[in-house]
């Protein structure tokens, strides 16, 4: 196909695909009259910050943002510990059942949350962790850990084994090899699982909606409440909240995109 | 019994944290699901009665269940077909090096990293009967007679949600397809180019046959995801109007957190699990052949 034509088609497709997102951003700056009018107005003729003021004063979401941050960072830290150790083990050690364990990891990653949500809710309830941060962090770990292990094991396999063999000869123990060699050399892989964990935990809805309530709602649950529990949606407020919700993931993603894609495709294309 | 070597012991030790998460919060809840599906669990009295396969019998004789299953299959096939076509098309366009390709690719990826709630919101706004841009444009160009309430119409609600699902899910497939396309050896094309084969012929006689298995693996993986899609459907329509978008995951949710019929809910979950086992069986088989 012609190169110029190709490029033009791509640009047009790009604009169509990105339109819903741009539309949210513009709508969040439109005054009431421009949102609620039959004739559609794409670019606001008059910019207003009233909806952003509202989400921080009248219907504050600051607490929900805070909850989401705590859960995402908590999940990321615990996830990092569980994933790096497991990936190191699967990549470097020889022991019985290793192949089965690798398969279980992938199978667990496929396990849909709708299958686990009810029993997990009951178990977290028995632990007294409903409506508490650790309760939701546990729920998020059920999908971030298997994915992370799968991805990072693949990455660690690419770090040459000869390096740790040299270290062993020099008298380094397993823990030393793990912390001083494998972790630093798996930097991009680790960065990509951190990105993945932060983004998915921040975005997650099902577990959050079941486990968190009242003041502890995470941001997605709060936004869902705006659109689900009122008959007439206050679009302006909701759009401002949506912009705030998508801002951090977009930034983190741009920042670490390359490693992220590399990891993703490693996972999706090859075991 | 064979004694474990020191290496094996330390290896298991490193696995301990993740195994603990798996045993306590994946395997145990899953066994809990199996057990519950044979019981009649009353949330209010906290009484549990053994019900044998009673939950399954009532489930399989329930019209609502079969309707939900039918919708789920329709939703899965339609969404996947749409995602594949869009993703493969864009992947073909992106599979060449030129300036700015990185930026374009990252724009195409955006729909996939948004929180689902934001996606649902964006499209509910655009499909709004009175203020939405889509309904406005369709009326403006006389494609529809007046403004259509897409999400309130029993015939249009599910296809509308599928369209949104296509938009949201295609980027992941696209990235995988780009990686797959780049794995095709360049030499394969050389002879074809000398013979003057058209771009179209190259696609159908070289690229697609070569990537057949890889594409199957990628698509299988996505099937599991789309089949179990709860968030998007729920946030767009809550399974309505009049059950028009009630897919199996929505049905599980309604039975558990709407009706508190945990026994029934878990028996539906087991049907979903059966599907997962079948699909992952195919997946592992393909992966093994690929290696």
């Amino acid at each position: 196909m012609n190169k110029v034509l190709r490029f033009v088609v791509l640009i047009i497709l790009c604009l169509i695909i990105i339109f819903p997102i741009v539309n949210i951003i513009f709508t969040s700056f439109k005054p009431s009259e421009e949102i609620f009018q039959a004739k559609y107005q794409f670019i606001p003729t008059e910019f207003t910050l009233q909806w952003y003021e509202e989400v921080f004063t009248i219907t504050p979401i600051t607490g929900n943002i805070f909850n989401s941050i705590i859960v995402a960072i908590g999940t990321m830290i615990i996830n990092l510990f569980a994933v790096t150790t497991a990936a190191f083990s699967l990549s470097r050690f020889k022991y019985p059942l290793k192949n089965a364990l690798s398969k279980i990891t992938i199978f667990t990653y496929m396990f849909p949350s709708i299958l686990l949500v009810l029993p997990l809710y009951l178990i977290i309830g028995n632990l007294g962790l409903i409506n508490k941060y650790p309760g939701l962090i546990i729920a998020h770990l059920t999908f971030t850990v298997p994915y992370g292990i799968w991805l990072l094991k693949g990455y660690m396999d690419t770090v040459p084994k000869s390096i740790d063999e040299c270290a062993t000869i020099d008298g380094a123990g397993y823990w030393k090899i793990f912390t001083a060699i494998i972790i630093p050399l798996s930097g991009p892989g680790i960065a990509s699982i951190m990105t993945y964990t932060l983004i998915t935990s921040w975005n997650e809805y099902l577990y959050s909606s079941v486990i968190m309530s009242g003041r502890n709602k995470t941001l997605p649950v709060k936004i869902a409440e705006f659109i689900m529990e009122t008959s007439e949606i206050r679009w302006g407020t909701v759009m401002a909240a949506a912009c705030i919700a998508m801002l951090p993931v977009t930034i983190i993603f741009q920042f670490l995109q390359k490693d992220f894609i590399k990891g993703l495709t490693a996972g999706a294309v090859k075991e | 019994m064979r004694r474990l070597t020191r290496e094996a012991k330390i290896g298991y030790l490193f696995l301990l944290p993740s195994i603990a998460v798996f045993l306590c919060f994946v395997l145990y809840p899953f066994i809990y699901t199996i057990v519950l599906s044979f019981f009649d669990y009353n949330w209010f009295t906290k009484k549990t009665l053994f019900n044998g396969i009673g939950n399954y019998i009532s489930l399989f004789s329930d019209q609502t269940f079969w309707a939900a299953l039918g919708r789920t299959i329709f939703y899965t096939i339609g969404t996947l077909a749409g995602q594949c076509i869009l993703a493969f098309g864009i992947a073909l366009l992106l599979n060449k090096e030129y300036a700015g390709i990185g930026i374009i690719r990252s724009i195409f990826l955006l729909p996939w990293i948004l929180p689902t709630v934001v996606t649902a919101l964006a499209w509910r706004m655009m499909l709004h009967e009175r203020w939405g841009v889509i309904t406005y444009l369709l009326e403006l160009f006389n494609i529809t007679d007046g403004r259509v309430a897409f999400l309130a119409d029993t015939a249009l609600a599910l296809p509308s949600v599928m369209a949104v699902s296509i938009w949201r899910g295609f980027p992941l497939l696209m990235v995988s397809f780009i990686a797959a396309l780049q794995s095709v050896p360049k030499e394969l094309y050389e002879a074809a180019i000398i013979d003057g084969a058209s771009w179209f012929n190259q696609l159908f006689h070289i690229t697609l046959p070569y990537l057949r298995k890889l594409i199957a693996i990628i698509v299988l993986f996505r099937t599991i995801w789309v089949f179990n899609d709860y968030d998007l459907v729920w946030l767009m329509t809550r399974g309505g109007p009049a059950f028009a978008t009630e897919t199996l995951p929505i049905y599980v949710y309604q039975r558990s957190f709407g009706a508190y019929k945990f026994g029934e809910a878990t028996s539906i979950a087991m049907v979903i699990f059966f599907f997962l086992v079948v699909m992952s069986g195919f997946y592992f088989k393909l992966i093994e052949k690929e290696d």
Side-chain angles (χ1 to χ4, degrees), chain A residues 234-250:
Chain A
R234 297 204 308 278
W235 286 110
T237 322
V238 179
M239 291 296 164
C243 284
I244 294 167
M246 68 186 186
L247 188 67
V249 286
T250 321

Side-chain angles (χ1 to χ4, degrees), chain A residues 112-115 117 206, chain B residues 68-69 71-73 75-76 224-234 245-257 265 268-269 272:
Chain A
S113 21
I114 192 71
L115 258 178
V117 63
L206 176 57
Chain B
L69 180 64
R71 270 182 227 114
T72 314
I73 293 171
Y75 176 82
T76 309
I224 296 169
W225 250 230
V226 177
F227 191 88
N228 293 300
D229 202 349
Y230 159 83
D231 296 21
L232 185 69
V233 186
W234 178 256
T245 55
E246 192 176 82
T247 55
L248 279 186
I250 301 284
Y251 193 43
V252 174
Y253 184 86
Q254 295 277 26
R255 291 281 90 190
S256 30
F257 296 100
I268 312 163
I272 295 181

